[in-house]
């Protein structure tokens, strides 16, 4: 049904005269009459009936006018929600990897509580492949993902991608061992990410440049658990430099070419004008 015609019906139920409706709506009585007639055809039932020289709503007309109150209120709320100039309000769904959530999203959510309390952010922890799948199916509004400078992601054309920050990675090894160049670790077991392939791709690229093929023995998602395996001397792993590690783990910088993790905020193209999403993206930019 045409919402403009629903508004005519609602005004008719309030004013009782097509002439008065025309005056309030800034149109002609003929246009009001034609609009009500078209609405009746859409509804499949008569909505008005003669009442002397005037008309009155039929029982079906009264019921539809009652529905029109809620329908038009919802339409007005939707327009306000989508107005780029409106105060941000609504539920925003974000999926991302743990480091980006802690480093960028949580400070942004704290700021939103003060700046835009009407924005409700729902957080889901996912690795990039999982986050991209949720974004593609429109199950989230924002994906926080990463790639590496030596294993760059291929962005789909329907995505808008905002770079956030970068961090250099090194080799995590037991602290009691002397720092070793990557080429000296050819005979060691390695730990890679169980939920994303980019980490393993980076390891294999670096190892290839160092002249060996890494022996991947463990696939672990949690960095804390990766460190536990390193302390237990079950393998080595690529870990971010500058992150506080548990006792017994040292992260040794990589020689050239090295590897840098790059974090991004990804949205579907054109969605960034929705006020809640725009507010979150602005907050993420402040917390790079």
């Amino acid at each position: 049904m045409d919402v403009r015609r629903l508004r005519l019906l609602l005004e008719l139920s309030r004013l009782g005269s097509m002439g008065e409706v025309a005056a309030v709506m800034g149109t002609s009585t003929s246009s009001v009459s034609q609009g009500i007639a078209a609405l009746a055809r859409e509804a499949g039932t008569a909505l008005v009936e003669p009442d002397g020289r005037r008309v009155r709503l039929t029982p079906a007309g009264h019921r539809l006018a009652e529905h029109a109150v809620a329908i038009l209120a919802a339409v007005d709320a939707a327009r306000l929600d989508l107005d780029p100039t409106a105060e941000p309000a609504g539920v925003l769904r974000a999926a991302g990897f743990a480091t980006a959530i802690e480093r960028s999203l949580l400070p942004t959510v704290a700021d939103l509580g003060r700046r835009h309390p009407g924005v409700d952010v729902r957080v889901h922890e996912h690795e990039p492949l999982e986050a991209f799948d949720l974004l593609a199916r429109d199950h989230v509004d924002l994906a926080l993902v990463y790639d590496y400078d030596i294993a760059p992601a291929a962005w789909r054309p329907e995505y808008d991608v905002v770079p956030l920050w970068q961090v250099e990675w090194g080799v995590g090894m037991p602290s009691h061992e002397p720092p070793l160049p990557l080429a000296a670790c050819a005979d060691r077991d390695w730990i890679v990410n169980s939920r994303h392939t980019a980490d393993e791709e980076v390891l294999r690229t670096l190892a290839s440049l160092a002249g060996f093929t890494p022996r991947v023995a463990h696939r672990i998602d949690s960095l804390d658990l990766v460190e536990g395996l390193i302390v237990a001397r079950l393998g080595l792993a690529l870990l971010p430099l500058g992150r506080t590690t548990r006792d017994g783990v040292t992260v040794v910088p990589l020689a050239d070419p090295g590897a840098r993790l790059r974090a991004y905020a990804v949205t579907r193209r054109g969605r960034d004008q929705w006020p809640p999403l725009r507010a979150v993206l602005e907050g993420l930019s402040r917390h790079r």
Side-chain angles (χ1 to χ4, degrees):
M1 293 181 182
D2 189 319
V3 294
R4 294 170 297 180
R5 295 167 183 163
L6 281 175
R7 196 172 296 278
L8 292 176
L9 181 69
L10 181 58
E11 293 300 329
L12 182 59
S13 72
R14 291 170 175 169
L15 300 173
S17 163
M18 289 194 182
E20 292 183 50
V21 173
V24 168
M25 300 294 289
T27 187
S28 67
T29 302
S30 175
S31 294
V32 174
S33 178
Q34 292 173 11
I36 297 295
L39 185 63
R41 289 194 296 271
E42 291 175 344
T45 187
L47 300 177
V48 297
E49 59 188 8
D51 183 21
R53 300 183 63 181
R54 299 164 66 92
V55 296
R56 65 187 178 195
L57 269 61
T58 64
H62 280 292
R63 290 198 299 274
L64 185 55
E66 292 171 358
H67 285 299
V69 174
I71 292 169
L72 293 172
V75 170
D76 288 341
R79 285 174 176 157
L80 180 61
D81 184 42
L82 299 175
D83 181 359
T85 65
E87 168 65 19
V91 175
L92 183 141
R93 306 154 301 168
F97 65 107
T99 303
I101 291 172
E102 292 180 355
R103 176 170 172 169
S104 300
L105 186 59
L106 293 185
T108 295
V109 171
D111 285 349
L112 286 173
R114 297 185 292 269
R115 296 170 180 264
H116 306 296
V119 178
D120 181 9
V121 179
R122 307 290 173 84
V123 181
H124 308 265
E125 189 269 318
H126 287 283
E127 283 292 307
L129 294 178
E130 301 161 345
F132 278 131
D133 179 62
L134 293 171
L135 188 66
R137 290 188 285 130
D138 223 15
H139 289 182
V140 297
D141 309 296
L142 168 69
L144 299 176
V145 301
Y146 65 87
D147 70 359
Y148 292 91
D149 55 356
I150 62 171
W155 306 113
R156 290 167 55 167
E158 64 267 30
Y159 291 156
D160 283 328
V161 181
V162 179
L164 295 178
W165 41 264
Q166 301 183 23
V167 62
E168 187 176 353
W169 277 47
V171 178
M173 57 181 52
S175 298
H176 66 271
E177 296 185 8
L180 297 172
L182 191 63
C185 302
D187 63 343
R188 305 292 291 270
D189 287 340
W190 287 87
I191 310 161
V192 299
N193 195 322
S194 61
R195 292 165 56 196
H196 192 36
T197 58
D199 305 68
E200 183 174 351
E201 183 179 347
V202 168
L203 172 61
R204 292 190 179 280
T205 298
L206 292 171
S208 176
L209 293 172
F212 69 96
T213 299
R215 185 171 65 236
V216 175
H218 313 285
R219 299 182 183 275
I220 305 293
D221 175 56
S222 164
L223 290 182
D224 289 335
L225 183 54
V226 169
E227 292 178 0
L229 267 67
I230 293 172
V231 171
R233 304 184 66 179
L234 294 178
L236 309 180
L238 297 179
L239 291 175
L241 289 166
R243 175 178 177 272
T244 301
T245 60
R246 68 167 64 190
D247 289 342
V249 176
T250 298
V251 182
V252 179
L254 289 162
D256 287 339
R260 298 183 69 84
L261 178 145
R262 305 179 296 189
Y264 306 90
V266 182
T267 60
R268 295 178 70 93
R269 189 171 299 278
R271 302 283 180 89
D272 59 343
Q273 291 306 302
W274 179 45
L277 183 54
R278 188 178 68 245
V280 170
L281 290 172
E282 290 171 352
L284 292 171
S285 296
R286 287 192 295 269
H287 293 284
R288 292 183 177 181

